[in-house]
Amino acid sequence: MYSIGEISKLTGISAYTLRYYEKMGLLPNPYRLDGKQNGIRQYNDQDLRFIQFIYGLKQTGMKLKDMTLFAEDGCLLTQNDQEIEDIQAILHKRIELLNKHVNLLEQQLEQLENVMTLANEKRSFYLAMLNDRLQNQ
């Protein structure tokens, strides 16, 4: 089990932000030590992986609104009592959100590759200019 401070160190997300994400429903309420509402938050490895995933979505530009839609139905691995249709609807929603995000990432990657190509061309041009100047001195 991890404390909120340990999760913060492992993920790079501040404890304040973790609490905020929890409050807005982006993260599920963690287990509390002694079961008290004000007890110390305790996270397991599954929580850590989910927090890292959510943080990755945020770092790559997914909107908090979409992240909240993704997470609002909770962990599907722990929901045994839901109807199959409900789970299928949740899966479709999550797939749609992830497809939308992956498409955005692919566009951003293409833009980055174009900029990188141009930057490499400029760098090569400047290096050639510098070499010419050094040889002519």
Side-chain angles (χ1 to χ4, degrees):
M1 297 295 273
Y2 305 97
S3 69
I4 195 167
E6 291 168 327
I7 289 289
S8 178
K9 286 178 186 174
L10 290 169
T11 63
I13 305 172
S14 72
Y16 174 83
T17 300
L18 289 167
R19 287 185 200 98
Y20 174 71
Y21 284 177
E22 179 187 330
K23 185 177 180 180
M24 66 183 289
L26 181 55
L27 296 177
N29 292 326
Y31 168 78
R32 300 285 185 139
L33 199 58
D34 298 328
K36 298 178 184 175
Q37 184 176 356
N38 294 329
I40 297 172
R41 291 170 173 84
Q42 295 286 295
Y43 301 89
N44 60 29
D45 288 330
Q46 183 177 338
D47 296 327
L48 174 61
R49 283 189 301 278
F50 185 71
I51 291 167
Q52 289 170 324
F53 174 69
I54 290 295
Y55 189 58
L57 293 176
K58 176 69 175 139
Q59 293 299 102
T60 57
M62 184 178 269
K63 297 174 184 167
L64 283 177
K65 179 184 91 174
D66 287 341
M67 292 167 54
T68 304
L69 282 173
F70 184 91
E72 72 184 353
D73 300 305
C75 179
L76 295 180
L77 299 176
T78 60
Q79 296 182 3
N80 297 328
D81 58 340
Q82 280 195 329
E83 296 291 324
I84 291 176
E85 295 83 25
D86 292 341
I87 292 175
Q88 288 176 337
I90 293 167
L91 290 171
H92 283 292
K93 177 178 73 171
R94 289 184 178 183
I95 290 167
E96 183 180 325
L97 286 166
L98 290 173
N99 283 341
K100 178 180 158 186
H101 189 63
V102 167
N103 288 337
L104 174 66
L105 291 175
E106 287 171 345
Q107 291 172 3
Q108 291 173 343
L109 183 58
E110 185 177 332
Q111 291 171 343
L112 287 172
E113 288 171 344
N114 290 337
V115 170
M116 193 165 66
T117 298
L118 293 172
N120 282 327
E121 288 172 2
K122 281 288 187 192
R123 181 176 56 185
S124 295
F125 175 75
Y126 294 143
L127 284 171
M129 280 181 65
L130 181 61
N131 286 334
D132 285 346
R133 291 184 62 91
L134 290 174
Q135 290 176 359
N136 292 332
Q137 287 182 349

